[in-house]
Amino acid sequence: MDAISRERVLVVDDDPLIRIGTAVMLSDLGFAPLMAADAEDAIARMGEEGAVEILVTDYEMPHYTGVELAAMVKAVRPETRILVVSGQNGLERMIAPGWGLLAKPFTPEELCAALGRLETRLH
């Protein structure tokens, strides 16, 4: 994991247990996670924290979906890599080219693999 260690990842999920659990997984994998409870909180955090290399967002949240949040982030910071996580099936058609999709629940190994696929899409 040395090649991607300490990259800042913003985890956005309205469920605090999932948000914290995902952040712990990311920390254990060598990333530097930040957390936000919803799209509005995520936008504020990105403004406060500066560069965030990866956005890991839940799909279904109040006010804005994870896809809507990701589109807002990409409009301002196109270099940000996107991973949408969801317990729903059939979201593949809603995910933009180059974005990742990961089904909930997921293991640390599945999360690591999904993030690794985002890496390879950049080159």
Side-chain angles (χ1 to χ4, degrees), residues 1 8 18 24 38-40 43 50 59 74 91 103 107 109 116:
M1 296 296 349
R8 296 195 324 165
I18 294 172
V24 168
D38 56 30
E40 292 92 346
I43 297 298
Y59 173 76
K74 289 296 256 184
L91 294 179
T107 65
E109 294 77 17

Side-chain angles (χ1 to χ4, degrees), residues 99-121:
W99 298 6
L101 179 62
L102 180 61
K104 286 183 184 180
F106 50 86
T107 65
E109 294 77 17
E110 291 166 332
L111 177 59
C112 186
L115 293 170
R117 287 190 295 274
L118 295 177
E119 286 285 311
T120 60
R121 289 184 183 151

Side-chain angles (χ1 to χ4, degrees), residues 78-93:
E79 70 280 3
T80 305
R81 289 166 292 187
I82 306 293
L83 179 62
V84 178
V85 295
S86 179
Q88 298 181 28
N89 291 323
L91 294 179
E92 293 81 8
R93 62 181 170 71

Side-chain angles (χ1 to χ4, degrees), residues 13-86:
D13 200 304
D14 58 316
D15 183 322
L17 293 178
I18 294 172
R19 183 173 62 245
I20 293 167
T22 302
V24 168
M25 283 185 206
L26 287 164
S27 183
D28 289 347
L29 291 169
F31 292 92
L34 305 168
M35 294 183 284
D38 56 30
E40 292 92 346
D41 189 20
I43 297 298
R45 290 299 311 261
M46 290 188 81
E48 293 166 3
E49 301 292 339
V52 171
E53 288 84 10
I54 303 171
L55 173 69
V56 175
T57 181
D58 185 25
Y59 173 76
E60 191 167 325
M61 296 183 293
H63 308 289
Y64 297 98
T65 68
V67 170
E68 291 168 331
L69 169 60
M72 289 186 278
V73 167
K74 289 296 256 184
V76 176
R77 294 196 175 131
E79 70 280 3
T80 305
R81 289 166 292 187
I82 306 293
L83 179 62
V84 178
V85 295
S86 179

